[in-house]
Each structure stands twice: as C-alpha cells, then as structure tokens.
Amino acid sequence: MAEISAPKGVRDILPGESWKWAHVFRVMQETARHFGYSEVHLPLFEHTELFSRGIGDTTDVVEKEMYTFLDKGDRSITLRPEATASMVRAYLEHRMGTLPQPVKMWCAGPMFRYERPQKGRYRQFWQVDFESLGAASPYADVEIIAISLELFRRLGLGRLEVVINSVGCPECRPEYRKRLTEYFASRRDQLCETCLARLERNPLRILDCKQESCRAVTEAAPDVYDSLCGECRDHFDTVKDGLDALGASYRLDKRLVRGLDYYTKTAYEILSGELGSQNAVCGGGRYDNLAEAIGGHHVPGVGFAAGVDRILMVMEQQECSFGPVPSVDVFAVALDDASRRNVLQLVNMLRRNSIVAEMDLGGKSMKAQMKAASSRGARFACILGENERAGGTVTVKDLATAEQRELPLSSLVAELHNKLTSTREG
Ligand code: ATP
Ligand code: MG
C-alpha cells in the first residue's frame, strides 16, 4: 500500500521546532497579560455565513480561499480562515456588551485558507489574534498597534516596518469610492482581469492588487486623506500622535486598504523585508461596522492578527533567541539488573524535583546505557550499582569533563541544582 503523506500546504511542527513555538506562545501569553487581554478558545469551524458576512463576499478569502463543506445535517460549515469574525460573534452571543468596555480578548490557533502553498504561505497556518471590542477611541487603535510592536520587541524581531492608513468610514468612503472609480475607469486597459471586476464591485480592493501593472496604476490614484471626513481625520491624527508619543516609527501608505464597508478608519500592517513576497507578519485595523454586518448591534472594534509561521521564519533568519534549548540534565544508568528498579525510583524523584531525567526503558547493557546518555546529550550520568545501593549513594559523572564523584542520595538534588544553575548561567 502507498504510504500516506500530509495534504498539500500543511505542515508538521516536530520536536526540533515545537520548543521554539512554545517560546513564542509563552511570550505572547505574557505580553497579553501585561496589556490586559484575556485568552479565549474559539471553535475551528463556524457557519459559513459568519465569514461571508464578516469578511466580505468580494475578498479573496471568501471568494477563493475557504474550506467550506456541508456537514451531515446539511449545514454549510467553514473552517475558520481568520478569527476576528468569531471573536465578534462570541462577543455578541455571550452578551459581552453588558461587561465593562472595552472587552479585550486574544486567541491563538490554526487558520485554514485554500491558497497556493509557497514559502510563508500555507493552507493551515497559525495566527495570534488580539481584539479590543467596544472601544471607539483612537487610543484603542494605538494600544492594539503597541501590543503588536511590544510582542515583536520581546521576541527580538528587528528591521520591521509599520505601515498605516485610514480607510475612512461610511460617511466619507462613498466620496472616495467615487473618485477612485472615475480614476480607474479611465485606465481600464491597464488593469488585470480581477481588478476589472473589482472596479464594479469594490474599487478600493484594486489598491490591494499584487499585479505589477495594477500597482503601477495605483501609484497616482486619488489620495484617501483628501476624502476623509472631519471625524476620520481627527481619529487618524490622534492615532499618529499616540504612536509618536510611544516613539513608534511608521510609514503612511494610502494603498493599504481593507476594502470593505465595515472596515473603518485605521488599517495597518507590519512588514519584514526578510520574508520575500509574503512580507506581512501582522495585519490589523478598525472594524466599527462588523458586528452589525454579522447581524448584531453596533460594536466598535479594533484588532490585529499576526502570522506565527512567518514570525518564526523571521526569527530564524535574524537568529533570535528562543530561550534555553531543551536538554537532558541527567541520564540514570543501572550497573546491573537488580539496580533497574532503583534507577526507576531515582528518575522519578529527580523529575519531581524539576530535573530533566531520562533512563533506558529497553533493558540495555551498562555500556549501551552510557552511550544512550551521551547521544541524548545528557549533562550528567547518575550511576547506580550494588555498592551505591548498599551505601545509599549515587555516582555522578559529568559527561562533559568525565569527572566522577560519589554522592549521598540525600544531597543529590541540591548538588545537581547547583551545578546545573552554574553551567546555565556560565
Ligand atoms: P497576505 O497578503 O500575505 O495574503 P493577508 O492580508 O491575507 O496576508 P491577514 O488576513 O491580514 O493576511 O492575516 C494576518 C497575518 O496572517 C498575515 O500578516 C500573515 O502573517 C499571516 N498569514 C495570512 N495568510 C497566511 C498563510 N496562508 N500562511 C501563513 N501565514 C499567513
Ligand atoms: Mg492573503
């Protein structure tokens, strides 16, 4: 029978890498706590309608990228391609509007998009998602951007670029839309097939097109700032001023859009030059009309999602630290069969005292056990034989220096902790 491999576009995160992921999630958890965000766990699938209404019918995600199927009860179900819509659904469903506002939540988990797999682009990928719901103030936008920056600072990521824009609101967008439509309509011949369709349905999305020819046309497209209403302009000014106050540098980019009616005001991305064409590590913004779009009451909100796979790629390239490399402190070795039972007890005792301890589980000879100890990269071998059993001692061999000492069992844990901290610090 042919061997079964994983489907295209998904990956296994194996032991050589998973400890690095654990570090990233620990940093995220800590950062979230310091900013007052509570972790939530949301379902991996939702009713398809949540995404078609909540992300928008004219987006690539909804048009082309969703994993949608009928379940056995004939309901249309979709594997979540992102988490914001689910966050807002949960907020509405659990009546969080009655809680003190804003409600600040975050989650981490896999997302699913049917895309062309390539470097930094997968069909199952991980995001962390932070959302601040119920706050209309521009300071909420600043806080959201600040968390993403602090997250990357703590992870040690450098050379990142923050790009921001304002996409206006339902008050001022129709005017901007009109100006864009006029501009692009007179340059139809330079637009790609997809953008020609966008011209009718949602001209803002042309600004987001990745085709060279379309990008060239968008260079001189009307400036969104000229169309912003007073409120959007004030909001944007306060966001920029907040970022200035925090010493955060950013670039303005009028082409950065979330081209849907319920995305409002602030839009931003964080880019890394080290990722090639998949250069965004994080994207976010304000979506004051999303809750209504999915059938709820008015809930202003702002948030971001960061791609964990891409964060790890950049960290690898920039040789960031992932914290201590997992290692074995002690490999316990039985000199004879009669000592195996004692080795089992010893290992158990060490583990209960927070020492990483291993032993042979396969009845290996003493020589083979010593070999296993070094191939596991253990720092010490703790050897037990007849003499040690009789005297209540353990022979501790430092596998780096081959130095060997017999210690009373009663002082073993303290001795090991001592040596391990001094080597870790050294
Ligand atoms: P892109 O322009 O790269 O397709 P996007 O605008 O679709 O990104 P968002 O929906 O804003 O991305 O998602 C937030 C973050 O999730 C992105 O900045 C990126 O880091 C990550 N991401 C998005 N799609 C993928 C994917 N298919 N594989 C890996 N990471 C992804
Ligand atoms: Mg995409």
Side-chain angles (χ1 to χ4, degrees):
M1 246 195 296
E3 212 173 273
I4 299 171
S5 55
K8 190 172 164 184
V10 306
R11 1 188 247 147
D12 301 312
I13 310 298
L14 299 176
E17 221 190 332
S18 60
W19 66 276
K20 300 177 179 179
W21 284 64
H23 167 76
V24 170
F25 288 125
R26 266 194 306 272
V27 171
M28 286 170 175
Q29 233 151 20
E30 274 292 279
T31 313
R33 203 164 60 79
H34 291 144
F35 279 83
Y37 282 68
S38 311
E39 187 166 14
V40 290
H41 302 291
L42 303 179
L44 299 200
F45 59 85
E46 298 268 7
H47 292 295
T48 301
E49 228 186 326
L50 175 68
F51 303 117
S52 51
R53 290 203 239 153
I55 302 174
D57 283 332
T58 62
T59 57
D60 282 353
V61 171
V62 172
E63 275 185 335
K64 303 187 281 204
E65 298 173 359
M66 295 207 305
Y67 279 93
T68 299
F69 57 94
L70 287 181
D71 74 3
K72 291 188 202 300
D74 267 342
R75 303 171 194 91
S76 181
I77 293 293
T78 293
L79 300 185
R80 66 176 182 193
E82 54 114 62
T84 310
S86 302
M87 284 279 203
V88 177
R89 180 205 40 78
Y91 176 99
L92 293 168
E93 191 166 337
H94 302 285
R95 309 282 178 259
M96 293 190 205
T98 60
L99 303 173
Q101 303 295 300
V103 175
K104 305 199 290 186
M105 300 185 285
W106 77 286
C107 71
M111 307 294 155
F112 307 86
R113 294 184 192 176
Y114 193 79
E115 300 203 69
R116 194 167 68 76
Q118 50 198 294
K119 188 178 164 228
R121 193 175 292 289
Y122 311 100
R123 289 182 175 174
Q124 177 179 328
F125 59 98
W126 283 70
Q127 277 185 348
V128 285
D129 189 72
F130 283 71
E131 309 292 347
S132 179
L133 295 164
S137 155
Y139 288 110
D141 310 36
V142 176
E143 182 180 83
I144 274 290
I145 300 173
I147 306 167
S148 51
L149 290 173
E150 177 60 8
L151 205 54
F152 296 141
R153 191 189 68 78
R154 292 186 188 195
L155 290 171
L157 260 77
R159 300 190 289 281
L160 295 176
E161 185 180 36
V162 181
V163 185
I164 73 166
N165 192 21
S166 173
V167 296
C169 68
E171 279 299 305
C172 51
R173 190 149 338 112
E175 166 65 20
Y176 182 51
R177 202 179 155 126
K178 196 166 137 252
R179 289 175 56 213
L180 271 184
T181 309
E182 280 164 16
Y183 175 84
F184 287 123
S186 61
R187 292 163 182 81
R188 275 173 193 280
D189 50 326
Q190 297 165 58
L191 295 177
C192 73
E193 206 64 40
T194 321
C195 282
L196 284 176
R198 286 172 176 156
L199 186 53
E200 309 306 324
R201 297 176 64 190
N202 194 344
L204 259 81
R205 297 221 49 243
I206 301 177
L207 297 172
D208 198 24
C209 184
K210 292 184 169 100
Q211 298 274 336
E212 253 334 293
S213 55
C214 297
R215 287 197 71 78
V217 188
T218 58
E219 289 282 351
D223 206 317
V224 62
Y225 308 118
D226 301 335
S227 307
L228 292 182
C229 63
E231 192 196 318
C232 285
R233 194 177 292 266
D234 289 347
H235 188 99
F236 196 42
D237 287 342
T238 310
V239 172
K240 286 186 289 185
D241 185 57
L243 292 175
D244 293 337
L246 297 178
S249 47
Y250 52 86
R251 173 167 65 80
L252 302 178
D253 183 353
K254 65 175 182 194
R255 290 193 295 194
L256 178 66
V257 289
R258 307 230 150 205
L260 288 160
D261 291 344
Y262 28 89
Y263 289 108
T264 50
K265 298 175 176 158
T266 315
Y268 84 104
E269 275 189 353
I270 299 183
L271 310 175
S272 163
E274 261 123 326
L275 283 173
S277 49
Q278 275 62 251
N279 63 351
V281 285
C282 166
R286 180 164 278 285
Y287 45 84
D288 288 347
N289 298 310
L290 174 56
E292 283 158 295
I294 64 171
H297 56 92
H298 180 75
V299 182
V302 58
F304 76 85
V308 183
D309 306 74
R310 290 186 196 175
I311 289 174
L312 272 120
M313 279 172 62
V314 182
M315 286 180 74
E316 290 282 4
Q317 271 164 35
Q318 299 190 349
E319 295 179 6
C320 298
S321 164
F322 294 100
V325 181
S327 60
V328 177
D329 298 327
V330 167
F331 197 99
V333 171
L335 278 184
D336 47 40
D337 278 341
S339 304
R340 290 193 199 274
R341 209 167 166 267
N342 303 71
V343 160
L344 185 66
Q345 291 172 328
L346 175 69
V347 164
N348 201 47
M349 185 273 284
L350 292 174
R351 288 171 175 167
R352 289 175 73 165
N353 284 283
S354 309
I355 291 170
V356 184
E358 287 283 358
M359 64 179 284
D360 162 53
L361 303 173
K364 282 197 178 88
S365 71
M366 132 86 180
K367 226 176 118 187
Q369 290 176 65
M370 289 304 290
K371 224 169 143 181
S374 63
S375 68
R376 289 296 192 88
R379 177 81 176 79
F380 298 101
C382 283
I383 305 162
L384 276 179
E386 208 182 320
N387 285 345
E388 285 85 355
R389 275 191 287 133
T393 60
V394 189
T395 299
V396 179
K397 181 172 180 182
D398 185 322
L399 293 174
T401 62
E403 189 187 322
Q404 198 162 304
R405 270 213 305 159
E406 197 173 332
L407 293 175
L409 201 50
S410 55
S411 62
L412 180 67
V413 168
E415 280 283 332
L416 287 172
H417 273 305
N418 244 335
K419 288 183 185 245
L420 288 165
T421 6
S422 64
T423 40
R424 271 181 205 135
E425 281 161 4

